[in-house]
Amino acid sequence: ESPGGIGVKLGSHGSKGGVRILDLVKGLSADLSDAIFPGDFLLEVDGKSVDRHPLDDIRRWTSGPRGSKVAIVIEHEGKPRRMTLRRGAFGAEHSVVEQEELDM
C-alpha cells in the first residue's frame, strides 16, 4: 500500500504558531474539503502541535496509508477549525470525514 498525504504544500512556521499552507494539490482531501485554503495555518496533526517541529516531521505526520484518517486543526481567517480527512482520497465524498469550528 503506497502512502498518501492530504495534499497540502507547507511553507514556513508562522510568528504566532502553526505552519503556513502555501498551496493545495488538486483532487486530494485538503482541496476537496472546501475548508482549507492557501494562506491558512496548520496548527495540529493528530493532536500534536506543529510548533517548533521540522517540516519533514510534519509531512511525515500527515502521510500514511492511503484511505487512513488524520485529524488536523487549521486556522482560517483567525478561526481554528478541527477536521478529519482521509489520506490520499480521490473524490469529494471520501475526503472529509468530519469538521467542526473550535472556540479557542
Side-chain angles (χ1 to χ4, degrees), residues 7 16 21 24 46 48 77 85 94:
K16 294 186 290 184
I21 294 171
L24 307 177
D46 283 335
K48 292 183 284 212
E77 295 179 349
L85 303 176
H94 300 296

Side-chain angles (χ1 to χ4, degrees), residues 31-54:
D31 174 49
L32 297 172
S33 73
D34 284 331
I36 302 172
F37 303 92
D40 289 353
F41 285 89
L42 177 63
L43 304 179
E44 290 180 14
V45 179
D46 283 335
K48 292 183 284 212
S49 170
V50 301
D51 284 351
R52 295 182 297 281
H53 285 281

Side-chain angles (χ1 to χ4, degrees), residues 3-23:
I6 57 171
V8 291
K9 294 181 181 172
L10 299 175
S12 57
H13 285 75
S15 58
K16 294 186 290 184
V19 175
R20 182 177 293 280
I21 294 171
L22 297 179
D23 203 2

Side-chain angles (χ1 to χ4, degrees), residues 66-102:
R66 185 181 161 109
S68 63
K69 297 176 187 175
V70 60
I72 61 172
V73 176
I74 296 289
E75 183 180 293
H76 176 70
E77 295 179 349
K79 295 185 181 137
R81 179 180 289 162
R82 182 187 319 275
M83 60 190 76
T84 302
L85 303 176
R86 286 192 191 277
R87 293 175 173 106
F90 293 89
E93 69 278 10
H94 300 296
S95 61
V96 180
V97 180
E98 61 186 330
Q99 63 177 302
E100 64 176 305
E101 291 208 6
L102 301 175

